[in-house]
Amino acid sequence: MRIDILTLFPGMFPGYLNESILKRAQEAGLVEFHLHNIRDYATGKHRVTDEPPFGGGGGMILKPGPIFRAVEAIKPADEACPVILLTPQGRPFTQTVAQELAQQERLILICGRYEGVDERVRQHLVTDEISIGDYVLTGGELAALVVVDAVTRLLPGALGAAGAAETDSYATGLLEGPHYTKPADFRGWQVPDVVRSGHAANLARWRREGALRRTWERRPDLLETAVLSEADKRFLQSLAEE
Ligand code: 6GU
């Protein structure tokens, strides 16, 4: 997959992209990141990228020209890849959206700024608009990194442990339950016996019930769409009766 990121602040990205799993995914040839400074596509001596809104109202608006020229410079006119604007007005980003984007050969991400972009960018250039949540960031850069991270880890081979992405919270429709590692005794607090027993069936049931309990306690809304077995439903019934 190739991901192009258009931003006024390309310097914000390398620190995150070039560590850990995103670094390994690049080294393995699973993904390429290309950063583009929108200012490089601005014209005139001062390479102006934003202007006050027509009609007044405060704040600055990103001009359409530099953004159109940047996209046109990096994408052939006949290539139909998603051109995504990161904006608080976009559709909510979820694991389902990450899975959808992970199917693409190429993504172009445009980092907006909170005051906004000229409406003609929305109307005639972008194919999708995404928000990462109901709060306001100073710009779309962190949102672009969130999207890049969630999408890259879904690419086949990106995660060390095979299948790790399949048991994620949200991929299963449930939150994950408790996990433990060494030591078995930490300051007198013990790892549960079932975890150390090596009894695979008991452990699988314990994990499933841990996920169900955590979801029931913290995100009961997720239980309405999760795929549940009869045993799961009986367990949830027993929680309700506790
Ligand atoms: Cl995509 N951009 C900005 N500026 N703020 C946000 C956001 C995006 N998603 C949530 N808040």
Side-chain angles (χ1 to χ4, degrees):
M1 169 179 260
R2 169 177 171 142
I3 303 180
D4 291 275
I5 302 171
L6 278 60
T7 171
L8 285 167
F9 304 104
M12 291 178 172
F13 289 83
Y16 196 83
L17 297 178
N18 296 326
E19 298 281 356
S20 187
I21 288 175
L22 300 190
K23 173 184 173 179
R24 285 217 313 269
Q26 292 178 82
E27 288 168 352
L30 302 175
V31 65
E32 283 175 24
F33 303 123
H34 295 262
L35 290 162
H36 307 276
N37 192 336
I38 293 170
R39 186 171 295 277
D40 292 343
Y41 298 89
T43 54
K45 188 161 117 228
H46 300 292
R47 299 197 166 263
V48 173
T49 56
D50 54 3
E51 296 277 8
F54 274 119
M60 296 293 272
I61 305 298
L62 287 181
K63 291 161 68 68
I67 299 176
F68 271 79
R69 283 191 292 276
V71 171
E72 287 158 3
I74 64 179
K75 179 180 83 70
D78 59 343
E79 190 182 332
C81 79
V83 179
I84 302 169
L85 178 66
L86 284 310
T87 163
Q89 291 109 52
R91 64 177 171 137
F93 188 60
T94 62
Q95 191 65 23
T96 303
V97 176
Q99 283 160 355
E100 172 196 320
L101 299 181
Q103 307 303 311
Q104 301 287 334
E105 293 275 306
R106 182 166 185 193
L107 299 174
I108 297 177
L109 304 180
I110 303 172
C111 302
R113 46 184 299 159
Y114 174 57
E115 300 86 336
V117 305
D118 187 283
E119 188 68 12
R120 290 161 290 189
V121 170
R122 292 203 152 79
Q123 290 176 323
H124 304 295
L125 187 66
V126 310
T127 62
D128 197 0
E129 298 180 41
I130 287 176
S131 162
I132 61 163
D134 293 341
Y135 38 79
V136 178
L137 303 170
T138 56
E141 284 76 13
L142 277 175
L145 281 172
V146 166
V147 169
V148 164
D149 186 291
V151 169
T152 300
R153 66 187 291 290
L154 290 175
L155 300 177
L159 297 185
E166 280 80 61
T167 63
D168 285 342
S169 293
Y170 297 104
T172 63
L174 297 176
L175 302 185
E176 286 189 37
H179 298 292
Y180 291 94
T181 188
K182 292 174 190 171
D185 177 322
F186 176 67
R187 300 186 178 180
W189 298 306
Q190 311 296 326
V191 171
D193 285 337
V194 60
V195 180
R196 301 172 57 199
S197 70
H199 190 302
N202 286 354
L203 182 57
R205 194 62 221 156
W206 179 86
R207 285 195 173 140
R208 183 73 182 170
E209 291 181 355
L212 290 164
R213 178 186 293 273
R214 190 147 283 177
T215 308
W216 183 77
E217 288 169 350
R218 301 186 182 185
R219 291 294 307 277
D221 56 299
L222 296 177
L223 294 173
E224 280 155 38
T225 47
V227 181
L228 302 174
S229 69
E230 287 308 312
D232 293 340
K233 290 177 192 164
R234 282 195 299 276
F235 179 70
L236 289 167
Q237 187 60 41
S238 76
L239 288 180
E241 287 160 6
E242 256 176 24

